Amino acid sequence: MDKNHLKTTFFKLLIISISFSFFSCSSTKEMKVQVYETSAKGNSLKEITQFSESNNPVIITLNPEEKFQTITGFGGSFTEASASLLNRLSKANRKKILDAYFSESGANYSLTRTHIASCDFSLSNYTYAKVENDLELKNFTVEEDKADLIPMILEAKSISKDGFNIIASPWTCPPWMKDNKKYVGGKLLPEFNDTFALYFSKYLNAYKKEGIDIWGLTVINEPHGNGNNWESTLFSPNEMTQFVQNHLGPKLAKDGWADVKILGYDQNRAGIKEWVDVMYKEEQSSKYYDGLAIHWYESTYEVFPKELQYAHNKNSSKYLIQTEACVDSEIPQWNDDAWYWKKEATDWGWDWASEKDKYLHPKYAPVNRYAADIIGCLNNWVDGWVDWNMVLDRQGGPNWFKNWCVAPVIVDPDKDEVYFTPLYYVMSHFSKFMRPGAVKIGCNITNKELMATAVKNPDGSIAVAIFNPTDKNETIEIDLNSRKKNISINAKALQTLIIKP
């Protein structure tokens, strides 16, 4: 055997040895995992480092190669109610709350919502176009927002390092544009289609002048109405689509707002099919729609997976964003974390739903409703999830209609006291660790009583959310490309695992 052949053979063996060594090391490389838990036993986004062991763990298998939707973000809503309460607190508590929501050390909210003119969580009814038949909206003004709402948004912007997107929604068009001339109910008259489209353009420009860029719009909040209780304007799927196709879309494009996203619908998930069938029927109808906005109020426990999947399959290029959710029709519990983990809450359907729909509205645990819904949404193509009011008082307001609700942060402005409910920490589990641009990945779990979902973040880390609503502690085995890690989760607990690249 000559020297050249020996040399070639040596190098081949060396390469094989190095390759074997590399793959062997990489396959046995320890998985680095940080675990954060919020639980009924008292943990509030606490890092967990000690775990129990079991011979029969629940197995969660992650598959980064199986990719689904790209995450737009998580967050809450700027309302006049929340902003006015912040203005009644000490500067220290105001900053404490906004830091908790928008700083890197806090929830780091990335997707938010606000109302265009008044809503039920305003102090009174108002519109930006008070002068009737002002077709050019020469008297348009956002002056009412300058005392409370705009300052809250600007302060949040100054705190947020990564920034956040804002979706803006009108609850009604100006009353003089409607057939009933009222804030509540009624329809937009066809002769005011162009003026209402101009109303949006004027709003975008006015807020930009205040230093606030709006990322997206919904055409109207809850187009089916709300039982004629507070601000609303009724649209059918065809009426809204015609308005977007022929008026709003072209107007925003003409005025330089083509990048602002237009989201259709903006109400409960059970009605998705009839809306997307019209919105995405053809190229012309879907041209100006960037996606679908949805709410959760149809049921206290049902995610409506079939409806969510239908919306995605109808047009997979469009956003699917949950824009509003809250524990409604309840007086907030003060400094009572246990209440949020027990089946004590009720909503409007508990009292008023028809007999055939009452089963959808049982008593529920608020933590369970939030955690299960967000995970369920992520597992069914939803890319953004936005909570309702960020701050409310001990009554569940202020709300001009007395439509009391619960917020993640409750305050007593008279005593200058603040209570971060467990719902704040539930929201943080997702907003803090699942960042915009993350991609939902394959995630299978062997125990049907638990829920899990996972995303791969832009920095390469994987965030896994696990919810255990049962009364039993569970051991979990995480399997990522045959690398395994055993942890445990407490009974009645939500965890987020961060797996470093």
Side-chain angles (χ1 to χ4, degrees):
M1 187 179 291
D2 59 36
K3 291 182 179 179
N4 288 335
H5 184 74
L6 282 171
K7 192 181 293 184
T8 302
T9 303
F10 171 76
F11 279 116
K12 283 181 179 179
L13 290 170
L14 183 61
I15 291 169
I16 291 170
S17 175
I18 292 171
S19 299
F20 176 80
S21 194
F22 173 79
F23 287 113
S24 176
C25 288
S26 64
S27 64
T28 59
K29 183 180 177 183
E30 184 181 359
M31 194 188 302
K32 296 179 181 177
V33 180
Q34 289 177 288
V35 180
Y36 299 89
E37 182 177 276
T38 295
S39 63
K41 69 180 287 185
N43 292 332
S44 298
L45 209 67
K46 179 182 178 182
E47 185 168 6
I48 307 296
T49 56
Q50 301 294 319
F51 305 103
S52 59
E53 295 183 4
S54 168
N55 293 325
N56 187 30
V58 175
I59 299 172
I60 296 178
T61 305
L62 304 176
N63 183 5
E65 300 306 312
E66 189 180 11
K67 298 176 182 178
F68 299 91
Q69 73 273 27
T70 299
I71 301 302
T72 303
F74 300 90
S77 301
F78 298 101
T79 62
E80 187 180 30
S82 295
S84 66
L85 287 169
L86 289 178
N87 274 345
R88 294 172 60 191
L89 297 175
S90 63
K91 287 184 178 179
N93 273 337
R94 175 188 175 93
K95 187 175 188 307
K96 178 182 179 180
I97 292 169
L98 289 173
D99 280 348
Y101 275 125
F102 292 100
S103 71
E104 278 190 302
S105 60
N108 204 9
Y109 273 7
S110 55
L111 184 64
T112 65
R113 187 182 186 219
T114 193
H115 49 91
I116 296 175
S118 69
C119 68
D120 49 326
F121 280 94
S122 296
L123 305 184
S124 63
N125 301 134
Y126 67 90
T127 177
Y128 301 142
K130 295 180 176 62
V131 179
E132 292 192 20
N133 297 313
D134 177 12
L135 300 185
E136 296 180 5
L137 301 183
K138 293 180 179 178
N139 298 286
F140 183 97
T141 178
V142 296
E143 195 64 32
E144 285 91 346
D145 295 350
K146 292 182 180 179
D148 298 309
L149 193 56
I150 288 173
M152 179 185 180
I153 297 173
L154 289 175
E155 189 167 346
K157 278 188 64 179
S158 71
I159 292 167
S160 176
K161 181 180 177 182
D162 295 335
F164 51 86
N165 289 327
I166 305 172
I167 298 168
S169 306
W171 264 234
T172 180
C173 58
W176 55 267
M177 296 184 190
K178 298 198 289 185
D179 56 7
N180 68 352
K181 308 300 179 188
K182 297 178 181 178
Y183 279 97
V184 179
K187 289 196 170 193
L188 174 67
L189 291 167
E191 58 263 36
F192 295 119
N193 277 333
D194 287 331
T195 307
F196 190 40
L198 174 62
Y199 189 81
F200 284 93
S201 184
K202 288 270 191 179
Y203 169 79
L204 294 171
N205 188 60
Y207 260 60
K208 189 172 186 65
K209 285 183 178 178
E210 296 296 325
I212 299 168
D213 290 319
I214 300 298
W215 176 83
L217 300 165
T218 72
V219 182
I220 210 78
N221 175 72
E222 298 182 346
H224 292 312
N226 48 51
N228 285 335
N229 290 314
W230 51 86
E231 291 94 332
S232 58
T233 301
L234 306 178
F235 280 88
S236 69
N238 188 61
E239 288 166 342
M240 183 179 289
T241 296
Q242 289 297 313
F243 175 68
V244 170
Q245 180 179 331
N246 299 320
H247 304 279
L248 181 59
K251 180 60 177 173
L252 295 187
K254 180 183 177 182
D255 289 358
W257 304 110
D259 290 340
V260 175
K261 313 296 185 272
I262 299 175
L263 306 176
Y265 189 36
D266 209 10
Q267 199 158 356
N268 299 336
R269 298 172 200 166
I272 284 175
K273 185 179 185 300
E274 67 168 326
W275 281 83
V276 295
D277 279 349
V278 175
M279 290 169 55
Y280 303 152
K281 182 179 180 181
E282 56 193 10
E283 173 60 28
Q284 276 188 314
S285 64
S286 64
K287 177 180 178 181
Y288 292 108
Y289 278 124
D290 293 282
L292 189 77
I294 51 172
H295 299 176
W296 78 353
Y297 302 110
E298 208 84 43
S299 168
T300 61
Y301 67 86
E302 178 62 75
V303 174
F304 293 97
K306 290 181 180 178
E307 286 78 2
L308 295 175
Q309 291 169 26
Y310 186 89
H312 170 77
N313 292 333
K314 194 71 178 179
N315 195 323
S316 60
S317 68
K318 305 293 187 181
Y319 292 100
L320 182 53
I321 298 177
Q322 163 78 26
T323 52
E324 186 183 317
C326 70
V327 177
D328 56 320
S329 303
E330 285 282 354
I331 305 301
Q333 301 297 304
W334 180 257
N335 282 332
D336 182 9
D337 282 7
W339 180 84
Y340 291 86
W341 289 94
K342 293 187 294 188
K343 289 184 177 180
E344 296 292 331
T346 62
D347 64 11
W348 65 271
W350 175 259
D351 298 313
W352 302 329
S354 63
E355 285 304 316
K356 69 180 180 66
D357 293 328
K358 265 200 184 305
Y359 76 97
L360 291 167
H361 302 276
K363 283 182 175 289
Y364 63 92
V367 163
N368 292 27
R369 190 177 187 192
Y370 269 72
D373 194 83
I374 298 173
I375 292 173
C377 278
L378 289 174
N379 287 341
N380 287 283
W381 297 104
V382 172
D383 56 270
W385 206 98
V386 183
D387 189 29
W388 192 203
N389 298 274
M390 294 187 212
V391 184
L392 290 176
D393 63 22
R394 295 182 64 172
Q395 177 65 55
N399 181 295
W400 71 264
F401 187 75
K402 299 183 179 181
N403 175 35
W404 313 126
C405 294
V406 178
V409 177
I410 302 168
V411 301
D412 185 333
D414 296 326
K415 296 181 179 179
D416 192 35
E417 294 178 351
V418 179
Y419 169 40
F420 287 85
T421 78
L423 299 181
Y424 164 78
Y425 298 102
V426 172
M427 288 300 305
S428 299
H429 271 273
F430 299 92
S431 62
K432 187 178 182 68
F433 301 116
M434 297 182 179
R435 303 303 298 159
V439 175
K440 167 72 177 70
I441 62 171
C443 177
N444 294 310
I445 186 167
T446 58
N447 185 323
K448 299 300 182 183
E449 292 187 290
L450 275 61
M451 298 181 71
T453 194
V455 304
K456 186 172 183 179
N457 282 305
D459 66 1
S461 66
I462 291 175
V464 185
I466 307 169
F467 181 49
N468 177 14
T470 75
D471 293 320
K472 178 185 175 185
N473 295 354
E474 293 285 358
T475 299
I476 308 285
E477 179 184 281
I478 305 296
D479 186 338
L480 172 61
N481 295 334
S482 297
R483 293 164 57 200
K484 298 180 180 181
K485 179 76 174 182
N486 277 36
I487 62 165
S488 58
I489 185 170
N490 281 308
K492 293 184 178 180
L494 172 66
Q495 285 185 349
T496 302
L497 285 56
I498 306 299
I499 304 172
K500 296 296 178 65

